[in-house]
Short mmCIF file of all heavy atoms in Angstrom, two decimals:
data_model
loop_
_atom_site.label_atom_id
_atom_site.label_comp_id
_atom_site.label_asym_id
_atom_site.label_seq_id
_atom_site.Cartn_x
_atom_site.Cartn_y
_atom_site.Cartn_z
N HIS T 237 -28.85 14.11 2.58
CA HIS T 237 -30.10 14.38 1.88
C HIS T 237 -30.22 13.57 0.60
O HIS T 237 -31.26 12.99 0.32
CB HIS T 237 -30.22 15.89 1.59
CG HIS T 237 -30.35 16.70 2.85
ND1 HIS T 237 -31.56 17.04 3.39
CD2 HIS T 237 -29.41 17.19 3.68
CE1 HIS T 237 -31.36 17.73 4.50
NE2 HIS T 237 -30.07 17.84 4.69
N GLN T 262 -36.60 25.37 0.17
CA GLN T 262 -36.91 26.45 1.10
C GLN T 262 -38.07 27.32 0.62
O GLN T 262 -39.03 27.57 1.35
CB GLN T 262 -35.66 27.33 1.22
CG GLN T 262 -35.75 28.38 2.26
CD GLN T 262 -35.21 27.84 3.56
OE1 GLN T 262 -35.15 26.62 3.77
NE2 GLN T 262 -34.82 28.72 4.44
N ARG T 404 -28.97 25.89 11.57
CA ARG T 404 -29.68 24.91 10.77
C ARG T 404 -29.94 23.66 11.59
O ARG T 404 -30.33 22.63 11.05
CB ARG T 404 -28.82 24.57 9.56
CG ARG T 404 -29.59 24.17 8.35
CD ARG T 404 -28.67 24.04 7.17
NE ARG T 404 -27.93 22.81 7.18
CZ ARG T 404 -26.95 22.54 6.33
NH1 ARG T 404 -26.57 23.44 5.47
NH2 ARG T 404 -26.34 21.39 6.37
N ARG T 503 -19.27 37.61 5.08
CA ARG T 503 -20.23 37.05 6.01
C ARG T 503 -21.62 36.90 5.38
O ARG T 503 -22.32 35.93 5.61
CB ARG T 503 -20.31 37.98 7.24
CG ARG T 503 -21.29 37.60 8.32
CD ARG T 503 -20.87 36.31 9.01
NE ARG T 503 -21.88 35.30 8.85
CZ ARG T 503 -22.85 35.06 9.71
NH1 ARG T 503 -22.93 35.75 10.82
NH2 ARG T 503 -23.71 34.13 9.49
N ASN T 505 -24.20 37.33 1.83
CA ASN T 505 -24.24 37.36 0.37
C ASN T 505 -24.32 38.76 -0.20
O ASN T 505 -23.78 39.03 -1.26
CB ASN T 505 -25.42 36.54 -0.14
CG ASN T 505 -25.11 35.07 -0.13
OD1 ASN T 505 -24.12 34.64 -0.70
ND2 ASN T 505 -25.93 34.30 0.56
N GLY T 565 -55.48 33.74 -18.33
CA GLY T 565 -56.84 34.11 -17.94
C GLY T 565 -57.41 33.37 -16.76
O GLY T 565 -58.61 33.26 -16.59
N VAL T 569 -58.97 35.23 -8.25
CA VAL T 569 -60.29 34.85 -7.75
C VAL T 569 -60.60 33.40 -8.11
O VAL T 569 -61.04 32.60 -7.28
CB VAL T 569 -61.37 35.78 -8.32
CG1 VAL T 569 -62.74 35.40 -7.76
CG2 VAL T 569 -61.04 37.22 -7.99
N THR T 570 -60.34 33.08 -9.36
CA THR T 570 -60.60 31.72 -9.83
C THR T 570 -59.77 30.70 -9.07
O THR T 570 -60.26 29.66 -8.63
CB THR T 570 -60.29 31.63 -11.35
OG1 THR T 570 -60.91 32.73 -11.99
CG2 THR T 570 -60.77 30.33 -11.91
N THR T 688 -26.17 21.96 -4.20
CA THR T 688 -25.70 23.06 -3.36
C THR T 688 -25.01 24.08 -4.24
O THR T 688 -24.54 23.74 -5.31
CB THR T 688 -24.62 22.54 -2.40
OG1 THR T 688 -25.04 21.33 -1.88
CG2 THR T 688 -24.36 23.54 -1.32
N THR T 703 -19.60 33.17 0.43
CA THR T 703 -19.70 33.33 1.87
C THR T 703 -18.74 32.35 2.54
O THR T 703 -18.32 31.36 1.95
CB THR T 703 -21.11 33.03 2.39
OG1 THR T 703 -21.38 31.64 2.18
CG2 THR T 703 -22.17 33.87 1.73
N TYR T 766 -29.10 49.03 4.18
CA TYR T 766 -30.48 49.42 3.89
C TYR T 766 -30.52 50.69 3.09
O TYR T 766 -31.34 51.58 3.34
CB TYR T 766 -31.26 49.66 5.18
CG TYR T 766 -31.23 48.51 6.11
CD1 TYR T 766 -30.86 48.69 7.42
CD2 TYR T 766 -31.57 47.25 5.66
CE1 TYR T 766 -30.84 47.62 8.29
CE2 TYR T 766 -31.54 46.17 6.52
CZ TYR T 766 -31.18 46.37 7.84
OH TYR T 766 -31.15 45.32 8.68
P DC U 269 -60.86 36.56 -12.29
OP1 DC U 269 -60.31 35.23 -12.36
OP2 DC U 269 -60.64 37.33 -11.06
"O5'" DC U 269 -60.27 37.47 -13.47
"C5'" DC U 269 -60.15 36.99 -14.80
"C4'" DC U 269 -59.20 37.90 -15.51
"O4'" DC U 269 -59.64 39.27 -15.35
"C3'" DC U 269 -57.77 37.85 -14.95
"O3'" DC U 269 -56.86 37.78 -16.03
"C2'" DC U 269 -57.62 39.15 -14.18
"C1'" DC U 269 -58.54 40.08 -14.95
N1 DC U 269 -59.10 41.18 -14.13
C2 DC U 269 -58.85 42.50 -14.51
O2 DC U 269 -58.18 42.74 -15.53
N3 DC U 269 -59.35 43.52 -13.75
C4 DC U 269 -60.07 43.24 -12.67
N4 DC U 269 -60.54 44.27 -11.98
C5 DC U 269 -60.35 41.90 -12.27
C6 DC U 269 -59.83 40.90 -13.01
P DC U 270 -55.42 37.39 -15.78
OP1 DC U 270 -55.10 36.37 -16.79
OP2 DC U 270 -55.20 37.11 -14.35
"O5'" DC U 270 -54.64 38.73 -16.14
"C5'" DC U 270 -54.92 39.41 -17.37
"C4'" DC U 270 -54.22 40.76 -17.34
"O4'" DC U 270 -54.98 41.65 -16.51
"C3'" DC U 270 -52.81 40.70 -16.76
"O3'" DC U 270 -51.89 41.28 -17.67
"C2'" DC U 270 -52.89 41.49 -15.46
"C1'" DC U 270 -54.09 42.40 -15.70
N1 DC U 270 -54.81 42.77 -14.47
C2 DC U 270 -55.06 44.13 -14.19
O2 DC U 270 -54.67 44.98 -15.00
N3 DC U 270 -55.72 44.46 -13.05
C4 DC U 270 -56.12 43.51 -12.22
N4 DC U 270 -56.78 43.88 -11.11
C5 DC U 270 -55.89 42.12 -12.47
C6 DC U 270 -55.23 41.80 -13.61
P DG U 271 -50.36 41.03 -17.50
OP1 DG U 271 -49.85 40.47 -18.76
OP2 DG U 271 -50.12 40.33 -16.21
"O5'" DG U 271 -49.83 42.52 -17.33
"C5'" DG U 271 -50.24 43.53 -18.26
"C4'" DG U 271 -50.06 44.89 -17.61
"O4'" DG U 271 -51.00 45.00 -16.50
"C3'" DG U 271 -48.66 45.10 -17.01
"O3'" DG U 271 -48.13 46.36 -17.42
"C2'" DG U 271 -48.88 45.07 -15.51
"C1'" DG U 271 -50.33 45.53 -15.38
N9 DG U 271 -50.98 45.02 -14.18
C8 DG U 271 -51.00 43.72 -13.74
N7 DG U 271 -51.68 43.56 -12.62
C5 DG U 271 -52.12 44.84 -12.32
C6 DG U 271 -52.89 45.30 -11.23
O6 DG U 271 -53.36 44.64 -10.29
N1 DG U 271 -53.12 46.67 -11.30
C2 DG U 271 -52.65 47.50 -12.30
N2 DG U 271 -52.98 48.79 -12.19
N3 DG U 271 -51.93 47.09 -13.32
C4 DG U 271 -51.70 45.75 -13.27
P DT U 276 -45.31 52.98 4.13
OP1 DT U 276 -46.49 53.47 4.85
OP2 DT U 276 -44.09 53.82 4.02
"O5'" DT U 276 -44.88 51.56 4.73
"C5'" DT U 276 -45.67 50.41 4.42
"C4'" DT U 276 -44.75 49.21 4.41
"O4'" DT U 276 -44.06 49.11 3.15
"C3'" DT U 276 -43.67 49.26 5.49
"O3'" DT U 276 -43.76 48.10 6.27
"C2'" DT U 276 -42.36 49.29 4.72
"C1'" DT U 276 -42.75 48.67 3.40
N1 DT U 276 -41.91 49.08 2.25
C2 DT U 276 -41.34 48.11 1.45
O2 DT U 276 -41.48 46.92 1.65
N3 DT U 276 -40.59 48.59 0.41
C4 DT U 276 -40.36 49.92 0.08
O4 DT U 276 -39.67 50.22 -0.88
C5 DT U 276 -40.98 50.89 0.96
C7 DT U 276 -40.77 52.35 0.71
C6 DT U 276 -41.71 50.42 2.00
P DC U 277 -43.29 47.97 7.70
OP1 DC U 277 -44.39 47.43 8.50
OP2 DC U 277 -42.62 49.24 8.11
"O5'" DC U 277 -42.16 46.87 7.58
"C5'" DC U 277 -42.39 45.66 6.84
"C4'" DC U 277 -41.04 45.20 6.36
"O4'" DC U 277 -40.64 45.95 5.22
"C3'" DC U 277 -39.96 45.41 7.43
"O3'" DC U 277 -39.52 44.16 7.90
"C2'" DC U 277 -38.87 46.21 6.72
"C1'" DC U 277 -39.24 46.09 5.24
N1 DC U 277 -38.84 47.30 4.44
C2 DC U 277 -38.23 47.12 3.20
O2 DC U 277 -38.03 45.97 2.79
N3 DC U 277 -37.87 48.21 2.48
C4 DC U 277 -38.11 49.44 2.97
N4 DC U 277 -37.75 50.47 2.23
C5 DC U 277 -38.74 49.63 4.24
C6 DC U 277 -39.08 48.55 4.94
P DG U 278 -38.62 43.99 9.15
OP1 DG U 278 -39.38 43.20 10.12
OP2 DG U 278 -37.99 45.26 9.53
"O5'" DG U 278 -37.54 43.05 8.48
"C5'" DG U 278 -37.87 42.38 7.25
"C4'" DG U 278 -36.60 42.22 6.42
"O4'" DG U 278 -36.37 43.42 5.64
"C3'" DG U 278 -35.35 42.01 7.26
"O3'" DG U 278 -34.56 41.06 6.58
"C2'" DG U 278 -34.70 43.38 7.26
"C1'" DG U 278 -35.04 43.87 5.88
N9 DG U 278 -35.07 45.31 5.65
C8 DG U 278 -35.61 46.29 6.46
N7 DG U 278 -35.52 47.49 5.95
C5 DG U 278 -34.85 47.28 4.73
C6 DG U 278 -34.46 48.22 3.74
O6 DG U 278 -34.62 49.44 3.73
N1 DG U 278 -33.81 47.58 2.68
C2 DG U 278 -33.57 46.23 2.59
N2 DG U 278 -32.94 45.80 1.50
N3 DG U 278 -33.94 45.35 3.50
C4 DG U 278 -34.57 45.95 4.55
P DT U 279 -34.74 39.53 6.93
OP1 DT U 279 -35.12 38.78 5.77
OP2 DT U 279 -35.50 39.45 8.21
"O5'" DT U 279 -33.28 39.28 7.35
"C5'" DT U 279 -32.49 40.46 7.58
"C4'" DT U 279 -31.07 40.10 7.51
"O4'" DT U 279 -30.57 40.31 6.21
"C3'" DT U 279 -30.35 41.05 8.44
"O3'" DT U 279 -29.66 40.33 9.48
"C2'" DT U 279 -29.38 41.80 7.56
"C1'" DT U 279 -29.35 40.98 6.26
N1 DT U 279 -29.27 41.90 5.12
C2 DT U 279 -28.27 41.69 4.17
O2 DT U 279 -27.51 40.76 4.23
N3 DT U 279 -28.24 42.62 3.17
C4 DT U 279 -29.07 43.71 3.02
O4 DT U 279 -28.92 44.48 2.08
C5 DT U 279 -30.08 43.86 4.03
C7 DT U 279 -31.05 44.99 3.97
C6 DT U 279 -30.12 42.96 5.02
P DT U 280 -30.57 38.62 9.80
OP1 DT U 280 -31.89 38.96 10.33
OP2 DT U 280 -29.70 37.71 10.57
"O5'" DT U 280 -30.75 38.03 8.31
"C5'" DT U 280 -30.06 36.87 7.88
"C4'" DT U 280 -28.69 37.16 7.43
"O4'" DT U 280 -27.84 37.39 8.57
"C3'" DT U 280 -28.07 36.01 6.68
"O3'" DT U 280 -27.37 36.52 5.58
"C2'" DT U 280 -27.17 35.31 7.68
"C1'" DT U 280 -26.95 36.30 8.80
N1 DT U 280 -27.24 35.74 10.13
C2 DT U 280 -26.22 35.21 10.88
O2 DT U 280 -25.07 35.20 10.49
N3 DT U 280 -26.60 34.72 12.11
C4 DT U 280 -27.86 34.69 12.65
O4 DT U 280 -28.07 34.23 13.75
C5 DT U 280 -28.90 35.24 11.81
C7 DT U 280 -30.29 35.26 12.30
C6 DT U 280 -28.54 35.73 10.62
P DT U 281 -27.20 35.79 4.33
OP1 DT U 281 -26.26 36.55 3.52
OP2 DT U 281 -28.50 35.31 3.78
"O5'" DT U 281 -26.51 34.51 4.96
"C5'" DT U 281 -25.33 33.98 4.38
"C4'" DT U 281 -24.84 32.86 5.25
"O4'" DT U 281 -25.21 33.09 6.60
"C3'" DT U 281 -25.50 31.53 4.89
"O3'" DT U 281 -24.67 30.91 3.94
"C2'" DT U 281 -25.49 30.77 6.20
"C1'" DT U 281 -25.30 31.85 7.27
N1 DT U 281 -26.43 31.94 8.23
C2 DT U 281 -26.13 31.96 9.56
O2 DT U 281 -24.99 31.88 9.97
N3 DT U 281 -27.20 32.04 10.40
C4 DT U 281 -28.54 32.13 10.05
O4 DT U 281 -29.40 32.21 10.90
C5 DT U 281 -28.79 32.13 8.62
C7 DT U 281 -30.18 32.25 8.13
C6 DT U 281 -27.73 32.03 7.80
P DT U 282 -25.28 30.68 2.49
OP1 DT U 282 -24.17 30.67 1.55
OP2 DT U 282 -26.46 31.53 2.28
"O5'" DT U 282 -25.81 29.19 2.66
"C5'" DT U 282 -24.93 28.17 3.08
"C4'" DT U 282 -25.72 26.89 3.15
"O4'" DT U 282 -26.74 27.02 4.16
"C3'" DT U 282 -26.44 26.52 1.86
"O3'" DT U 282 -26.43 25.11 1.74
"C2'" DT U 282 -27.85 27.00 2.10
"C1'" DT U 282 -28.00 26.75 3.59
N1 DT U 282 -28.97 27.63 4.26
C2 DT U 282 -29.82 27.08 5.18
O2 DT U 282 -29.81 25.90 5.45
N3 DT U 282 -30.68 27.97 5.76
C4 DT U 282 -30.78 29.32 5.52
O4 DT U 282 -31.59 30.01 6.10
C5 DT U 282 -29.84 29.84 4.55
C7 DT U 282 -29.84 31.29 4.20
C6 DT U 282 -29.00 28.98 3.97
P DT U 283 -26.52 24.48 0.32
OP1 DT U 283 -25.16 24.45 -0.21
OP2 DT U 283 -27.62 25.04 -0.48
"O5'" DT U 283 -26.91 22.97 0.74
"C5'" DT U 283 -26.03 22.23 1.55
"C4'" DT U 283 -26.80 21.08 2.17
"O4'" DT U 283 -27.77 21.62 3.10
"C3'" DT U 283 -27.60 20.22 1.18
"O3'" DT U 283 -27.42 18.86 1.51
"C2'" DT U 283 -29.03 20.63 1.39
"C1'" DT U 283 -29.03 21.03 2.85
N1 DT U 283 -30.04 22.02 3.23
C2 DT U 283 -30.82 21.77 4.34
O2 DT U 283 -30.72 20.77 4.98
N3 DT U 283 -31.71 22.77 4.64
C4 DT U 283 -31.89 23.96 3.97
O4 DT U 283 -32.72 24.77 4.34
C5 DT U 283 -31.04 24.16 2.83
C7 DT U 283 -31.16 25.42 2.04
C6 DT U 283 -30.17 23.20 2.53
#
Side-chain angles (χ1 to χ4, degrees):
Chain T
H237 294 267
Q262 187 91 338
R404 209 172 78 188
R503 178 67 240 267
N505 280 305
V569 181
T570 312
T688 317
T703 66
Y766 305 129

